[in-house]
C-alpha cells in the first residue's frame, strides 16, 4: 500500500509512523511544576541525538482536548527547565504503563504506580528509585511544531546501577539491563532479554583484504 501523508489524517499518520519507526526506547520522564509537584509520564518519541554536547530529544504531542493544551511534562519542562529520563526496563513495564494514564493533574502518577523517588545528583527533579539508570537533563530548546513540542535536553549527569556498568569502557552491560522498546502503539513492546545480535564493524583495511 502507498500513503500520501499530505492527504492522511493525523491518526493515520501516527499509526503508520510509530509502526515503522520501531522499536523505540522509552523515556519515563520525571518533571516538576513551579510548586515542586512531581509528574511522571512515558515517551517513546525519544532518542539521543548527539554526544558532544550530550543532547537527547523527546516529542510531546499536545492533548487533543480543548485547545490542544501541552501535556504536563512539556509544560513543566518549559517552566522549570529540568527533567530526568528514567530508563524503562522489563521489570518497570507495568508501572510505566500506569504512569501513562490520564490522571487529573493533582494525582501523583508515581504513587499510583507504587514507585518511589531518589535524589538526583545535579537537577532538582528526582529520579525514580526503582529505575536502574537515569539521565538528568536541563532543557536546551523547546520547539513548537504544529500541535507538538520537541524538547531537546542536555544531559548533565547519568546514574547507572553499578552492576550494569563495565568500568573498563565504561560500557553499559546492555545484555543484562533488559530495556524494553515500544512497537506499534497497540500496546506492543519488545524485550531485549536474550535477543542480542553481535555484528562487529568492518574496518576498511580488513574489507580490502577480503577477510569477510
Ligand atoms: C509507552 C508509551 C509511550 C508514549 N510515548 C509518547 C510520546 O512519545 N509522545 C506523547 O506525546 N505521548 C506519548 N505517550 C502518551 C503519554 O505518556 C500520556 O499522554 C501521558 O498521560 C502524558 O502525561 P503528562 O500530561 O503527565 O505529561 C506514550 C505512552 C506510552 C504508554
Amino acid at each position: 500500500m502507498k500513503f500520501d501523508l499530505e492527504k492522511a489524517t493525523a491518526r493515520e499518520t501516527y499509526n503508520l509512523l510509530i509502526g515503522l519507526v520501531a522499536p523505540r526506547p522509552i523515556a519515563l520522564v520525571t518533571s516538576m511544576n513551579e510548586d515542586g509537584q512531581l509528574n511522571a509520564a512515558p515517551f517513546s518519541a525519544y532518542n539521543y541525538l548527539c554526544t558532544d554536547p550530550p543532547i537527547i530529544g523527546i516529542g510531546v504531542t499536545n492533548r487533543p482536548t480543548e485547545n490542544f493544551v501541552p501535556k504536563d511534562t512539556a509544560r513543566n519542562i518549559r517552566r522549570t527547565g529540568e527533567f530526568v529520563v528514567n530508563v524503562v526496563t522489563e521489570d518497570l513495564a507495568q508501572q510505566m504503563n500506569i504512569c501513562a494514564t490520564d490522571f487529573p493533574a493533582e494525582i501523583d502518577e508515581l504513587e499510583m504506580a507504587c514507585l518511589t523517588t531518589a535524589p538526583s545528583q545535579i537537577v532538582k527533579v528526582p529520579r525514580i528509585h526503582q529505575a536502574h539508570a537515569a539521565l538528568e537533563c536541563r532543557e536546551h530548546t523547546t520547539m513548537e511544531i504544529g500541535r507538538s513540542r520537541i524538547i531537546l535536553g542536555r544531559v548533565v549527569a547519568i546514574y547507572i546501577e553499578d552492576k550494569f556498568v563495565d568500568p573498563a569502557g565504561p560500557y553499559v552491560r546492555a545484555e543484562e539491563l533488559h530495556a524494553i522498546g515500544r512497537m506499534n502503539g497497540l500496546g506492543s513492546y519488545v524485550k531485549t532479554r536474550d535477543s542480542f545480535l553481535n555484528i562487529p564493524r568492518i574496518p576498511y583495511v580488513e574489507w580490502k583484504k577480503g577477510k569477510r
Side-chain angles (χ1 to χ4, degrees):
M1 290 174 87
K2 292 179 179 171
F3 297 90
D4 178 351
L5 294 196
E6 304 270 295
K7 295 181 185 135
T9 64
R11 173 50 67 173
E12 287 163 346
T13 302
Y14 170 84
N15 289 348
L16 293 169
L17 274 182
I18 72 160
L20 292 176
V21 186
R24 293 177 303 286
I26 305 166
L28 181 50
V29 176
T30 41
S31 64
M32 292 194 310
N33 72 9
E34 309 90 310
D35 302 325
Q37 192 190 331
L38 195 59
N39 188 83
F43 296 91
S44 68
Y46 158 65
N47 219 309
Y48 93 91
L49 300 174
C50 55
T51 58
D52 185 15
I55 299 288
I56 55 109
I58 304 176
V60 184
T61 310
N62 288 351
R63 291 198 178 284
T65 47
E66 345 95 49
N67 301 329
F68 292 90
V69 289
K71 290 181 181 173
D72 296 342
T73 300
R75 194 202 53 213
N76 287 351
I77 293 171
R78 195 73 276 273
R79 291 187 183 175
T80 63
E82 291 186 343
F83 60 104
V84 176
V85 169
N86 299 272
V87 174
V88 178
T89 46
E90 236 180 82
D91 53 343
L92 290 178
Q94 299 301 334
Q95 288 106 314
M96 173 281 293
N97 192 41
I98 293 171
C99 291
T101 299
D102 198 8
F103 294 114
E106 64 279 11
I107 290 193
D108 179 353
E109 291 93 356
L110 291 177
E111 201 183 320
M112 296 298 107
C114 300
L115 292 169
T116 54
T117 58
S120 290
Q121 302 170 64
I122 294 184
V123 302
K124 282 198 202 113
V125 178
R127 62 182 168 86
I128 295 174
H129 175 68
Q130 290 81 359
H132 305 293
L135 314 178
E136 295 179 31
C137 301
R138 291 213 170 103
E139 181 194 33
H140 178 280
T141 316
T142 293
M143 288 175 277
E144 293 196 37
I145 300 184
R147 287 169 176 165
S148 296
R149 288 186 178 190
I150 295 185
I151 298 161
L152 301 186
R154 185 177 183 129
V155 185
V156 293
I158 289 179
Y159 161 79
I160 315 180
E161 225 170 275
D162 289 352
K163 65 179 177 185
F164 296 117
V165 186
D166 172 356
Y171 296 108
V172 176
R173 297 193 213 273
E175 293 91 338
E176 291 162 32
L177 189 60
H178 303 321
I180 60 165
R182 191 184 194 204
M183 297 303 291
N184 61 8
L186 295 169
S188 325
Y189 296 88
V190 281
K191 294 180 186 178
T192 55
R193 187 190 291 265
D194 301 329
S195 60
F196 276 64
L197 284 180
N198 208 311
I199 307 177
R201 293 285 294 272
I202 310 167
Y204 183 50
V205 278
E206 282 198 28
W207 178 269
K208 277 197 295 187
K209 281 188 225 156
K211 280 191 175 171
R212 290 169 191 264

